[in-house]
DNA sequence: TATTGTTATACTCTATAACTATA
DNA sequence: TATAGTTATAGAGTATAACAATA
């Protein structure tokens, strides 16, 4: 099957923004899930890689350091994330989810997933498998540049 | 192959925002392609459905009427879009691409596509086919709510 | 002197509310 | 009175520049 990279790019460019806007609008609309997409991604990343530094986080999420700092500020203020000075190098900071953060992530994830799942339920198993496979193909291509080999946290303190 | 709607939703939620951020960052970074994602989508929609009203456009793009109005304002000021009072109903407005708008769209598309294509080139034909197929599956699910049956324009004036 | 993160400041995008013009 | 669109205003999010603290 001949599918050029350009055809693929065009398809991605056509569809991804529409999907994204649906996700964003849905997150904004849902009351009690008071979290936006970058915040959601931040919680998700910290869930996977507890104890990373601010720089690592910013690199992955794709924000500048000041923006990331501000975003984290908000999450710390809401006690969803803990931020501690790293004892080994006092310039660095160690970020982790609190219990509340985990709960908030689970709730957002559940809600947004449920919303998407509702729409995806219209498809056949085979079609869904195709989508999952496509996501798995896209993932490394668009994440690799940022994903850090995130050393597991020296400690997963939970200041909830 | 058993793939639940929820598994699929999770995959989408994990990957789509990362892809989207890459696209957005790329568009912002690229000098001479002075256009953001909603503007890009607006031009693309007007290219397909010339002569639509502001409301139809806002509905599709997923912005409120005032936001859409402002966005279009900018495009009109830059002579990428023409905006004319519709003679049949003087409250309505008729939007279309100008020649400059078409050129700008083509340029943005070409650049961003090329950028994405560069990354997608690493995949096999089969893998790319999978991605295209997945996009075709997602498209109606996330676009249908908004896509208007956009009456073709009564006139495709080009005030370039 | 270089690195990690924060603070100060400004700009863009988007929303809600109030308004104008037309039907 | 209802509809299409615009203007006024405000808030969120992000960036760049300047700064502070530590290495």
């Amino acid at each position: 099957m001949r599918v050029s990279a350009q055809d693929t790019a065009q398809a991605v460019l056509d569809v991804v923004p529409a999907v994204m806007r649906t996700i964003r609008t849905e997150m904004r609309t849902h009351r009690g899930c008071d979290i936006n997409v970058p915040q959601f991604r931040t919680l998700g990343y910290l869930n996977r890689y507890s104890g990373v530094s601010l720089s690592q986080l910013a690199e992955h999420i794709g924000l500048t350091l000041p923006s990331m700092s501000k975003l984290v500020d908000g999450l710390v203020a809401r006690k969803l994330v803990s931020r501690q000075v790293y004892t080994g190098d006092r310039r660095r900071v160690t970020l982790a989810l609190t219990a509340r953060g985990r709960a908030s992530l689970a709730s957002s994830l559940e809600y947004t997933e449920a919303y998407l799942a509702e729409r995806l339920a219209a498809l056949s198993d085979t079609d869904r498998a195709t989508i999952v496979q496509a996501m798995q193909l896209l993932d490394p291509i668009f994440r690799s540049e940022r994903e850090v080999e995130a050393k597991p946290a020296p400690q997963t303190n939970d200041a909830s």
Side-chain angles (χ1 to χ4, degrees), chain A residues 48-64:
Chain A
R48 278 178 292 173
Y49 303 102
S50 197
V52 294
S53 72
L54 189 68
S55 303
Q56 287 173 310
L57 185 59
E59 177 73 7
H60 171 74
I61 302 296
L63 291 181
T64 60

Side-chain angles (χ1 to χ4, degrees), chain A residues 62-129:
Chain A
L63 291 181
T64 60
L65 219 44
S67 299
M68 197 72 241
S69 181
K70 200 173 165 186
L71 189 157
V72 167
D73 252 8
L75 297 177
V76 169
R78 288 162 64 188
K79 300 195 188 305
L80 301 178
V81 166
S82 69
R83 177 174 47 186
Q84 302 188 315
V85 174
Y86 175 54
T87 10
D89 178 347
R90 295 182 48 73
R91 291 172 305 183
R92 290 184 74 236
V93 118
T94 295
L95 301 168
L97 287 188
T98 62
R100 257 184 90 162
R102 268 188 296 278
S104 174
L105 174 63
S107 157
S108 298
L109 197 62
E110 188 179 357
Y111 183 84
T112 310
E113 267 184 28
Y115 177 77
L116 293 183
E118 197 178 307
R119 295 180 169 229
L120 294 165
L123 299 176
S124 70
D125 262 9
T126 322
D127 286 348
R128 283 197 293 267

Side-chain angles (χ1 to χ4, degrees), chain A residues 20-32:
Chain A
M20 193 57 208
R21 183 159 288 276
T22 302
I23 294 175
R24 188 178 294 116
T25 300
E26 197 50 35
M27 279 194 167
R28 185 160 33 223
T29 302
H30 176 42
R31 300 301 161 209

